[in-house]
Amino acid sequence: MARLVLKFGGTSVADIARIRNVARHVKREVDAGHQVAVVVSAMSGKTNELVGWCTEASPMHDAREYDAVVASGEQVTAGLLAITLQNMGVNARSWMGWQIPIRTDGAHGAARIQEIDGAEIVRRFGEGQVAVIAGFQGLAPDNRIATLGRGGSDTSAVAIAAGLKADRCDIYTDVDGVYTTDPRIEPKARRLARISFEEMLEMASLGAKVLQVRSVELAMVHKVRTFVRSSFEDPDAPGMGDLLNPPGTLICDEDEIVEQQVVTGIAYAKDEAQISLRRVEDQPGVAAAIFGPLADAGVNVDMIVQNISEDGTRTDMTFTVPAGDLAKATAVLEDAKSTMRFDVIQSEKGLTKVSVIGIGMRSHTGVAATAFKALAGRGINIRAITTSEIKISILIDGEFSELAVRTLHSVYGLDKA
């Protein structure tokens, strides 16, 4: 017998027929004798609808009331799944975030989980009851519903798995695992059997949409073994009930991966924008004067390149931001031009960041050189580069996105079984 947390996303619970399919997945694990908690998202499209209603009611709405509205999507799904399970003869009940409780900080709309008291759920496990938990929501210090930000149900599931000391957390989604790159761009992309927490964190933060970044962070901190699985596979297909190696991708500690590839995957993020500040004063404190106000404005700065100053007085500084933040970033920079001490702002949209990821890079040389040579061979110009122990990120013109992904996927042999 094991303790499992199963999470089902919006597409998996999009209508009653799919909720019945989810219930079959849950019943399979219950029939195998496991203790099961299920975390559900809102039905596909419902959260967007609820957010739209809040904006329509008032563009400058109270964040606490926003949370009260948008958290209702998960509440509906949890109730419907509990009803469906009961109809199948499974002892189940729904739980809202505040009933457990999942305690968060006070940042309504983007709250962070601080504590989970799973004692009552564990007690009910002993009575054979399945807990169906509304994801994405918790209880803020002001005793009101708080939501965890978009994609927060993944975070709920991993946090609950850690709080319940679960043996495994299964994230069911509309894909059957984590691939070496986006299969829509490269048909030869392969599903990975295992990937380390660190690699998955890089993949998620660099453009892969399989898991929410904070959920991977939590899994890594609490060592929660996490499987990414497809909810659309037949719940009773061979191997689906395998406790140790079900179909999908296991995200786990590096020590569990016996054969480490040098490169594990290629991620990409489109809609990057580049900002260049020309003739910046080359003095201590200038970087802080530039990036401090951007951080205060909530602009996420990524790649930063500073040219060497020839005469020790002036330099150029280039960095990237999401394209959606470009107007805000340039406005902040123009407003503080006198304290930032630069001459001209130049900016450009339509760029893509392509990243090569793998824990094997730590012990292998020449990984970066291979990427640069391969891109050069395809006539792809590199605008900026950043590296870490297990990642190389390269900024290129957006028109070359797919070619770059396919080229790098091939040059590292990721298309070979």
Side-chain angles (χ1 to χ4, degrees):
M1 184 184 75
R3 184 172 294 171
L4 307 178
V5 173
L6 316 181
K7 183 266 174 179
F8 294 90
T11 53
S12 303
V13 293
D15 53 37
I16 298 299
R18 289 188 180 180
I19 288 173
R20 285 200 183 99
N21 187 60
V22 163
R24 289 176 61 208
H25 282 288
V26 176
K27 190 173 188 300
R28 179 191 66 232
E29 305 297 358
V30 172
D31 290 347
H34 302 313
Q35 296 178 341
V36 181
V38 190
V39 177
V40 291
S41 297
M43 298 163 85
S44 184
K46 288 299 177 186
T47 302
N48 287 340
E49 184 179 32
L50 294 167
V51 170
W53 286 348
C54 288
T55 305
E56 186 179 344
S58 171
M60 300 298 290
H61 44 255
D62 184 333
R64 295 164 298 182
E65 302 303 345
Y66 167 93
D67 276 353
V69 174
V70 298
S72 65
E74 282 71 18
Q75 181 168 326
V76 170
T77 312
L80 289 172
L81 179 56
I83 289 169
T84 306
L85 285 166
Q86 290 167 2
N87 190 49
M88 290 180 171
V90 176
N91 178 8
R93 71 150 279 188
S94 63
W95 295 80
M96 303 306 109
W98 58 269
Q99 291 174 310
I100 294 174
I102 298 172
R103 298 197 181 276
T104 72
D105 62 18
H108 283 276
R112 297 184 80 88
I113 294 172
Q114 295 185 327
E115 182 188 9
I116 294 178
D117 182 359
E120 182 60 17
I121 288 177
V122 171
R123 187 185 73 77
R124 289 174 184 247
F125 279 160
E127 299 174 357
Q129 189 175 83
V130 172
V132 183
I133 301 168
F136 179 58
Q137 55 175 247
L139 184 66
D142 59 7
N143 215 33
R144 299 184 67 167
I145 293 172
T147 62
L148 309 180
R150 300 310 292 264
S153 292
D154 284 349
T155 305
S156 297
V158 173
I160 288 164
L164 298 177
K165 295 182 169 54
D167 297 285
R168 199 176 76 211
C169 179
D170 290 358
I171 306 286
Y172 283 86
T173 182
D174 52 2
V175 294
D176 61 352
V178 181
Y179 279 72
T180 48
T181 196
D182 188 340
R184 294 169 299 180
I185 286 182
E186 175 51 89
K188 294 179 182 176
R190 292 181 297 106
R191 187 177 73 189
L192 297 163
R194 297 188 174 201
I195 184 170
S196 73
F197 291 124
E198 285 182 271
E199 289 170 321
M200 191 65 236
L201 189 57
E202 293 285 11
M203 293 277 274
S205 62
L206 294 168
K209 299 289 191 284
V210 179
L211 280 178
Q212 204 246 10
V213 174
R214 269 201 301 171
S215 68
V216 184
E217 288 174 346
L218 268 177
M220 184 163 68
V221 168
H222 295 286
K223 298 285 192 285
V224 176
R225 299 174 84 249
T226 304
F227 269 95
V228 177
R229 308 178 62 176
S230 171
S231 63
F232 298 118
E233 290 189 40
D234 183 348
D236 300 317
M240 288 296 284
D242 188 331
L243 180 62
L244 299 178
N245 291 297
T249 299
L250 173 63
I251 306 166
C252 58
D253 200 80
E254 190 179 326
D255 296 341
E256 287 195 57
I257 301 173
V258 180
E259 291 187 28
Q260 294 178 356
Q261 295 263 66
V262 178
V263 171
T264 300
I266 311 296
Y268 69 97
K270 292 184 177 180
D271 296 324
E272 295 283 308
Q274 179 177 292
I275 297 174
S276 296
L277 304 181
R278 303 298 182 193
R279 295 180 291 283
V280 182
E281 280 192 22
D282 196 7
Q283 297 291 328
V286 170
I290 292 169
F291 296 114
L294 290 171
D296 292 341
V299 175
N300 183 29
V301 175
D302 186 16
M303 309 172 92
I304 303 173
V305 178
Q306 183 176 352
N307 294 339
I308 296 171
S309 170
E310 286 189 14
D311 59 2
T313 63
R314 296 277 173 170
T315 183
D316 291 341
M317 192 171 288
T318 299
F319 52 92
T320 62
V321 299
D325 285 344
L326 179 59
K328 187 199 296 186
T330 51
V332 169
L333 294 168
E334 286 287 6
D335 286 346
K337 188 174 180 180
S338 58
T339 55
M340 294 179 183
R341 303 196 289 276
F342 63 87
D343 282 355
V344 181
I345 298 179
Q346 296 174 337
S347 63
E348 189 174 348
K349 286 185 176 181
L351 306 178
T352 293
K353 178 175 61 179
V354 182
S355 302
V356 179
I357 299 153
I359 51 178
M361 289 188 196
R362 288 179 181 147
S363 53
H364 287 78
T365 59
V367 178
T370 299
F372 304 151
K373 185 177 179 182
L375 294 177
R378 293 288 190 157
I380 301 172
N381 186 46
I382 296 172
R383 288 172 165 266
I385 303 161
T386 57
T387 63
S388 73
E389 249 192 329
I390 65 166
K391 170 207 77 184
I392 303 158
S393 288
I394 301 165
L395 190 68
I396 61 171
D397 291 334
E399 63 187 293
F400 296 110
S401 302
E402 297 188 7
L403 177 61
V405 168
R406 287 195 296 267
T407 298
L408 294 173
H409 192 267
S410 175
V411 78
Y412 292 113
L414 295 176
D415 51 356
K416 296 179 174 62

